[in-house]
Amino acid sequence: MFNTFLSLENLSPLSLQIAPAAAWVGLIICIAWVVSRFTDSEPEIIRKIVHIGTGNVILIAWWLDIPSFVGITAAIFAGIITLLSYQFPILPGINSVGRQSLGTFFYAVSIGVLVGVFWYLHQPQYAVLGIMTMAWGDGLAALIGKRFGKHKYVVFGSQKSWEGSLTVTLISYFICVTLLLVTQGNIWQTWMVSLIVAVIATILEAFSFLGIDNLTVPIGSATCAYLLNQLLSHY
């Protein structure tokens, strides 16, 4: 009876879809906690572990074809938790960026919006493109810019570096090319759209006051890629 209780046959297909995604998020949070607890890493490092790591859950959602309502529900829940964490120490270290920012909340919102829209359109690759661009492009830009950024510039009071911005461009281009090659093949639109999206993502990332780039970069990148492909598919 015990073995029967644990049998995978007793688990619903939805449970089997959700479990790997939940396990991945749990693993990332555990890694961030261990790094925070047992190392002297800066809060920014902890934030980027979560920022980059949790973004990759969209690949699992795409691979397992997790229903959109699951992603939207998870995003709403995450958004509520992050809003509460600005007032209470629910997520210590994750929201500590040394400046006023709603970036973590915008992160959750962008995931919910992209999953809702592009799952509905049966074009999930664009949601993946937007979220991965945000996770890796924006995430690595902050780390590389802080570590190697020697050439600074300021946009609306937010200091950026050309090294960080170049990172956004290169990572965004790589992500876009990879996803579009997989989904639409080695056609000229793949390379052209990826280049345009990478440039737009870089511009949007530069305007990061209040963490708004966590909303504009993923939604802007995904929307741009989708619309450009719709337009250029006629040529």
Side-chain angles (χ1 to χ4, degrees):
M1 180 178 296
F2 183 73
N3 290 335
T4 302
F5 178 76
L6 293 179
S7 173
L8 292 178
E9 296 177 356
N10 291 329
L11 297 176
S12 69
L14 182 59
S15 298
L16 292 175
Q17 288 176 302
I18 294 175
W24 175 261
V25 173
L27 175 63
I28 295 301
I29 292 175
C30 286
I31 291 174
W33 180 83
V34 169
V35 173
S36 175
R37 178 69 175 80
F38 297 103
T39 72
D40 58 355
S41 298
E42 298 178 2
E44 184 70 9
I45 300 295
I46 311 302
R47 286 187 67 254
K48 293 311 175 184
I49 290 175
V50 176
H51 180 97
I52 295 173
T54 55
N56 288 283
V57 76
I58 193 63
L59 292 172
I60 299 175
W62 183 28
W63 174 45
L64 297 179
D65 194 24
I66 291 176
S68 61
F69 78 87
V70 174
I72 295 171
T73 301
I76 292 173
F77 178 75
I80 292 172
I81 293 297
T82 54
L83 284 178
L84 290 174
S85 73
Y86 291 115
Q87 299 297 324
F88 307 100
I90 300 175
L91 301 173
I94 294 179
N95 289 324
S96 302
V97 295
R99 63 183 185 276
Q100 186 179 14
S101 174
L102 292 172
T104 310
F105 171 70
F106 289 143
Y107 194 116
V109 172
S110 64
I111 291 175
V113 169
L114 289 176
V115 169
V117 171
F118 289 106
W119 253 247
Y120 174 78
L121 294 174
H122 303 289
Q123 300 285 338
Q125 67 270 24
Y126 293 105
V128 176
L129 185 153
I131 294 168
M132 293 294 286
T133 297
M134 171 180 63
W136 285 96
D138 180 60
L140 290 179
L143 295 177
I144 291 178
K146 185 173 183 179
R147 177 67 178 84
F148 301 104
K150 305 298 182 183
H151 304 87
K152 307 292 185 180
Y153 66 95
V154 177
V155 179
F156 287 116
S158 178
Q159 182 173 273
K160 296 289 183 176
S161 72
W162 289 109
E163 291 82 358
S165 293
L166 179 61
T167 299
V168 177
T169 305
L170 296 177
I171 296 298
S172 299
Y173 183 71
F174 174 78
I175 289 171
C176 292
V177 165
T178 301
L179 287 171
L180 295 182
L181 280 174
V182 169
T183 56
Q184 66 186 33
N186 185 16
I187 55 179
W188 70 268
Q189 288 92 339
T190 291
W191 304 94
M192 178 63 69
V193 168
S194 297
L195 179 60
I196 296 173
V197 169
V199 172
I200 290 177
T202 303
I203 295 172
L204 292 174
E205 194 276 336
F207 296 86
S208 58
F209 57 93
L210 297 177
I212 195 68
D213 54 324
N214 278 353
L215 189 66
T216 58
V217 169
I219 293 179
S221 298
T223 302
C224 178
Y226 175 74
L227 293 178
L228 283 173
N229 267 325
Q230 295 300 307
L231 176 64
L232 297 177
S233 63
H234 301 293
Y235 294 94

